[in-house]
Amino acid sequence: MFDSASLPKSQRRIALVDVNSFFASCERVFDPSLEGKPVVVLSNNDGCVVALSKEAKALGVKMGIPWFKISAWAPSVGLVAKSSNYELYGDLSSRVMSILHEFSAHVEVYSIDEAFLELKGTPEELVVMGREIKAAIQNKLGLPVCVGIGRSKTQAKLANSGAKKSAGLNGVCNLDTFTPEQIDHIMAALPVDNIWGIARRLSKRLNSIGIHTIKDLKDADPVRIKKKFGVVVQRSLYELRGIDCIKLEGERLVKNQVMYSRSFATPVTTRKQMEEVLAVYAQRVSKRLRKQGSVAGALTCFAGTSRFANEPFHSPYRNAVFSVPTNDPVEILKASSAVLLDSIEDGRKYVRAGIMLHDVSPKTSHQYLDLFTPLHESRQLGEVLDQVMEKHGAFSIGLGAAGFKSPRHWEMKREMLSLRATTRWDELATVHAR
């Protein structure tokens, strides 16, 4: 095993910064009355619990339980439910990642609520830096985070778990501050499925050859592990030993696919209604495409009835290719309507639909002479829509049916939606002075 005494006093380390109970914590930012209360966040159409605060977990609320099963019980224990506020969560996530870039030039956004970053310094300096990261995010955004620091991503994950569970660490754990014997003691107390990337099914296979704890895997023969479980598990073994095998990935500026898909609050039953859905979705998915400065060469659009309804399942799935890569909402709507609407059967109860754009590439990689520039590209309609909505609000203008301000019965139900205070001018938080 590695001896920390043989390593330089100051060198590169990997930190994992993770927002605690992210969705619930976001809900508390603009509603301090929720602090200390059990909070759950619900899935689309206020269906199931998808996120819980630590107080909700303490009540025994389980992830995935349908809200209707506990809604009558909730008031008696002070349980508060919130609809998924994707706009707020996404914006606060972006702000967290922006703060992390102030501490490191190498940041890998791993998920909406966690990121790896490269740090350098002595063990003591890295603990101080971890506390500074924690304080910066708390003070600027009101979000609590934990910081785990190790010699590899897997060690950082392990350290982050320790930072969450041990109150004495105050949310920051650097494995370099522990002796090798202490680390071994910690690893020996944790089941092997506590390792990042080791699922329960794989852990059972590891158990069958005598590997029950994290320490068991760290001390195993790498050649034997690779032969029985492959290079991925062997890599985890090396990472536990402090060998950095899983490199930080740079931020992907252009995503390979861009999709907008939602379930409906009430079923869509006619082609006319589905045309309205496509108008709204085409506008929203094209905006995502423009936001990353890219264009798409093809699309897939789909709709589906419920698999559990008392009628045959119907899920048309159609593709289209653009003659010229584009992010124009009109072209996307034309293409999706042309291929999907003929497959929609009036009277069926469609519960979801979506548009996926693929063959995505940077817009700058497609240059045309003025004479050959397609008309829809020269009009830059999408950019005009973006500018109007930026100035006058998200619902100030729309493409076809997407411009109607009247409520759409099929729009996703979010009856307990909190303020989208950072992305909607009309939902800014109100501050009351005492």
Side-chain angles (χ1 to χ4, degrees):
M1 64 174 296
F2 281 82
D3 180 4
S4 60
S6 66
L7 293 171
K9 293 296 183 183
S10 177
Q11 65 176 43
R12 173 183 177 275
R13 290 291 183 264
I14 303 296
L16 175 67
V17 179
D18 183 13
V19 183
N20 303 337
S21 303
F22 179 62
F23 286 2
S25 295
C26 288
E27 293 293 342
R28 289 169 169 161
V29 170
F30 294 103
D31 188 356
S33 69
L34 296 177
E35 196 64 43
K37 293 182 179 179
V39 178
V40 296
V41 177
L42 306 178
S43 62
N44 291 352
N45 296 312
D46 295 340
C48 301
V49 172
V50 294
L52 310 91
S53 68
K54 65 179 182 181
E55 296 84 0
K57 293 176 183 177
L59 289 174
V61 180
K62 301 299 183 183
M63 184 76 76
I65 187 171
W67 172 240
F68 76 86
K69 288 189 175 183
I70 59 173
S71 57
W73 166 76
S76 66
V77 293
L79 181 65
V80 179
K82 291 292 184 179
S83 302
S84 293
N85 192 338
Y86 300 115
E87 298 90 338
L88 177 66
Y89 308 153
D91 185 67
L92 289 179
S93 173
S94 297
R95 295 177 188 227
V96 169
M97 304 312 166
S98 178
I99 291 172
L100 294 182
H101 278 90
E102 297 174 8
F103 290 89
S104 175
H106 304 284
V107 177
E108 177 190 334
V109 179
Y110 183 66
S111 68
I112 192 171
D113 62 343
E114 57 185 331
F116 292 101
L117 56 158
E118 179 182 305
L119 301 176
K120 291 183 179 180
T122 64
E124 295 77 16
E125 289 170 342
L126 292 180
V127 170
V128 172
M129 191 177 298
R131 291 172 181 163
E132 291 175 350
I133 292 172
K134 180 177 171 64
I137 296 173
Q138 178 67 58
N139 294 337
K140 294 180 180 180
L141 301 178
L143 294 173
V145 304
C146 283
V147 182
I149 303 169
R151 300 177 189 175
S152 64
K153 282 184 173 180
T154 303
Q155 280 200 357
K157 272 277 191 179
L158 184 63
N160 187 276
S161 178
K164 281 184 167 64
K165 295 176 181 178
S166 179
L169 293 173
N170 295 317
V172 178
C173 176
N174 181 4
L175 291 186
D176 280 341
T177 62
F178 295 83
T179 66
E181 292 74 24
Q182 288 174 321
I183 294 175
D184 277 352
H185 181 74
I186 293 169
M187 289 185 176
L190 296 173
V192 69
D193 61 3
N194 279 28
I195 301 175
W196 178 41
I198 303 294
R200 187 169 298 277
R201 181 179 297 179
L202 179 55
S203 70
K204 290 181 179 179
R205 293 177 57 203
L206 288 165
N207 293 165
S208 69
I209 63 167
I211 296 177
H212 299 278
T213 68
I214 294 178
K215 184 178 183 299
D216 290 338
L217 179 59
K218 179 182 74 72
D219 293 339
D221 177 11
V223 176
R224 183 188 183 205
I225 291 298
K226 180 180 179 182
K227 184 176 180 180
K228 284 185 171 292
F229 302 100
V231 69
V232 174
V233 181
Q234 183 193 47
R235 189 182 298 146
S236 294
L237 180 155
Y238 283 132
E239 287 254 319
L240 288 171
R241 294 182 178 184
I243 301 173
D244 184 13
C245 300
I246 308 174
K247 303 302 180 184
L248 285 180
E249 297 180 5
E251 185 175 357
R252 183 178 293 171
L253 299 179
V254 175
K255 296 179 180 178
N256 296 327
Q257 294 181 334
V258 178
M259 182 170 72
Y260 191 91
S261 175
R262 292 290 186 272
S263 297
F264 306 137
T266 57
V268 166
T269 58
T270 68
R271 290 185 185 180
K272 184 67 177 177
Q273 291 173 336
M274 189 61 72
E275 185 177 11
E276 180 181 311
V277 170
L278 292 178
V280 174
Y281 287 12
Q283 180 170 315
R284 292 176 181 174
V285 76
S286 67
K287 184 175 182 179
R288 291 182 176 180
L289 201 61
R290 291 189 297 277
K291 187 176 181 179
Q292 67 175 37
S294 54
V295 291
L299 68 75
T300 298
C301 51
F302 54 90
T305 60
S306 173
R307 294 182 182 272
F308 309 102
N310 294 322
E311 63 178 43
F313 178 64
H314 187 237
S315 182
Y317 195 93
R318 301 290 181 266
N319 301 307
V321 178
F322 299 113
S323 58
V324 174
T326 185
N327 59 25
D328 184 87
V330 173
E331 294 300 305
I332 293 171
L333 175 57
K334 285 181 180 178
S336 57
S337 298
V339 296
L340 185 65
L341 290 181
D342 285 345
S343 302
I344 299 300
E345 300 177 4
D346 286 341
R348 286 190 178 272
K349 296 179 180 180
Y350 296 95
V351 297
R352 67 184 182 281
I355 298 175
M356 178 187 295
L357 303 175
H358 37 94
D359 293 345
V360 173
S361 57
K363 185 176 182 179
T364 53
S365 65
H366 301 274
Q367 299 293 334
Y368 306 97
L369 296 173
D370 291 342
L371 180 63
F372 301 104
T373 301
L375 179 61
H376 64 268
E377 294 299 316
S378 62
R379 289 184 307 183
Q380 296 188 327
L381 177 60
E383 287 79 358
V384 173
L385 290 176
D386 294 342
Q387 291 170 9
V388 172
M389 287 188 285
E390 180 71 23
K391 186 173 182 179
H392 299 286
F395 298 99
S396 58
I397 192 172
L399 178 66
F404 296 154
K405 292 190 176 181
S406 57
R408 306 179 184 99
H409 70 89
W410 49 265
E411 286 268 41
M412 184 172 60
K413 180 176 70 174
R414 293 193 285 179
E415 294 180 345
M416 294 166 280
L417 183 66
S418 55
L419 293 175
R420 292 163 287 189
T422 62
T423 57
R424 301 285 182 103
W425 285 108
D426 58 340
E427 296 185 25
L428 288 176
T430 302
V431 178
H432 300 277
R434 291 185 178 181

